[in-house]
Amino acid sequence: MAISDPDTFRSRLASRRVLHFDVNRSSSIQLHPPIKPEWKAASKNWGHPFHTMCSYMAMFPPRIPHYFIQRFTRPGDRVLDPFSGRGTTPTQACLEGRVGIANDLNPLAYHLSRAKVDPPDKQAVLDRLDVLAGDYQSTSSHVTQPAGDIAIVFHPDTLHQLAYLRATLQDSREDNFIRATILGILHGKYRRSGTDSIYLSIDMPNTFSMSPEYIRRYVAEKQLAYLPLDVFVNTRRRVEWLFRKGIPATKGEAHRHDVRRLHELLPADSIQLVVTSPPYLKVVKYGLYNWIRLWFLDVPVEEVDQALDDGHALPSYLTFMQETILEIEQLLKPGGLAALIIGDVSQNGGSRLNLSEAVWEKVAPVTDLALLDIVPDNIADSAKVTKIWNETRGRATDIDRILILCKGSKVGINHTSVTW
Ligand SMILES: C[S@@+](CC[C@H](N)C(=O)[O-])C[C@H]1O[C@@H](n2cnc3c(N)ncnc32)[C@H](O)[C@@H]1O
């Protein structure tokens, strides 16, 4: 059956659902109340300051995992995002007393997720910053000034401090928190007053890195000034701000693994809930569009873009998603639920492809997971980061759909209300 034939697909989907409910009539798999995008009623800024540590392309708001965590888990349960990005799901899980498990193959995502699900004590971070600032004063003459494209982004003094920190930060929790905080303020918009800007770069977007050629042109056209912003001072300000509402109640885990091999790390039947958004179909290049943050992490752009599954054409994307969902099936507990946020994409010729239905069609013949629903979530009003280009750069549309799957014939936990 052609995927692009929505009516045929829908009738098959409906008959599959009827069949499923007939077979399991006694197990009451139908959800009461049904899942609806209630999170839309919550404020766009809803959530703990940790969520705003660093923007990430195609991130979703914490209101979404909060809804699923409240309805489908209890304190102590393990909640996984196998494509964790900035760590929204695992961080929200830890904030609500669940064990948030982050996984993402992108080193940027790994460092951000790790900082939030296993944060150090605030005072330890501030003390470490003082030590680093003191050490910089006494050893800065040994630091080589970076040249090349990175030099067009920062004032030379700011860049020198960044180069020192890039070479000095270690693998401890404190240092990783400092690293993640700096990643979040590395580039962004100037405040009007210029000097009190939290961001360390010339005036540019926060979410993604403009290309070096574009920056050169932009700086010349707008005659942008390079301000000597102090990395130690701004990082301290940002750390104070991030910790202003305390830290998550529970400690989580962060991994940097290929999603298809997660069973090597996590036990079977151990996860109560998965809330995730898989990579889009050729929409985002996480390496290229993050070249400034990857410079700070000392990771080559090509290494990231080659490793991630962002560049698939439709057939290989569907195979990738089939493998991913089979992996999730293994990890879920019986009665556990998986919510996968998958955006519609526009195809060549302009038609819209309902990718979540296409994914389910590919997976249904080989999985024992039950389809509970596909819930549309119109995201025109939300901060969908792929919309920043506003034109032909990507294939993302303004409709996301949430593919909701369950392991076994009964949803293990289904609270009826969500508090905000
Ligand atoms: C849409 S983003 C997730 C964003 C996340 N929900 C958030 O709120 O920040 C998809 C993620 O999948 C990751 N990814 C791509 N291929 C992967 C793979 N094979 N294994 C693990 N992660 C992968 C990318 O690095 C990216 O962070």
Side-chain angles (χ1 to χ4, degrees), residues 109-274:
Y110 166 74
H111 286 291
L112 298 176
S113 296
R114 181 181 153 203
K116 298 181 211 178
V117 300
D118 187 14
D121 176 62
K122 172 182 161 187
Q123 196 51 49
V125 177
L126 295 176
D127 290 349
R128 173 68 176 147
L129 264 175
D130 285 346
V131 170
L132 288 164
D135 185 51
Y136 176 72
Q137 294 306 333
S138 50
T139 62
S140 63
S141 57
H142 303 300
V143 178
T144 310
Q145 183 73 9
D149 289 341
I150 199 66
I152 60 170
V153 181
F154 306 98
H155 185 281
D157 295 353
T158 307
L159 182 58
H160 196 254
Q161 291 180 334
L162 287 170
Y164 158 80
L165 286 163
R166 177 181 187 252
T168 309
L169 288 172
Q170 304 291 307
D171 197 40
S172 67
R173 284 157 80 219
E174 289 76 18
D175 281 20
N176 189 58
F177 197 91
I178 292 169
R179 185 182 285 113
T181 304
I182 293 174
L183 288 169
I185 60 171
L186 204 52
H187 51 80
K189 288 247 147 255
Y190 274 166
R191 295 239 176 93
R192 267 183 208 291
S193 59
T195 44
D196 72 347
S197 174
I198 193 75
Y199 297 111
L200 301 168
S201 67
I202 50 144
D203 191 23
M204 63 181 287
N206 172 243
T207 307
F208 69 105
S209 309
M210 297 189 297
S211 73
E213 300 70 42
Y214 191 96
I215 297 176
R216 282 195 178 88
R217 262 200 330 268
Y218 189 70
V219 168
E221 267 169 30
K222 307 269 174 197
Q223 301 193 335
L224 291 186
Y226 283 85
L227 300 176
L229 296 154
D230 190 302
V231 181
F232 299 100
V233 170
N234 283 20
T235 306
R236 174 175 270 278
R237 269 172 66 199
R238 189 68 172 167
V239 166
E240 294 278 7
W241 190 88
L242 288 169
F243 277 100
R244 76 188 195 281
K245 290 195 178 164
I247 59 169
T250 312
K251 226 174 159 186
E253 297 169 21
H255 303 285
R256 189 182 156 197
H257 221 62
D258 191 298
V259 67
R260 289 159 286 210
R261 301 206 330 268
L262 269 181
H263 64 271
E264 294 170 2
L265 290 179
L266 305 172
D269 299 339
S270 64
I271 303 292
Q272 183 61 39
L273 173 69
V274 170

Side-chain angles (χ1 to χ4, degrees), residues 54-62 81-89 103-107 109 113 116 256-262 275-280 284 286 304 307-310 312 320 324 341:
C54 181
S55 69
Y56 193 84
M57 297 171 85
M59 62 194 177
F60 52 54
D81 187 344
F83 302 108
S84 60
R86 65 175 176 159
T88 317
T89 293
N103 177 70
D104 200 297
L105 205 45
N106 182 351
S113 296
K116 298 181 211 178
R256 189 182 156 197
H257 221 62
D258 191 298
V259 67
R260 289 159 286 210
R261 301 206 330 268
L262 269 181
V275 182
T276 192
S277 58
Y280 283 73
V284 178
Y286 281 99
V304 173
L308 300 184
D309 283 277
D310 295 314
H312 287 290
F320 167 67
T324 297
I341 302 168

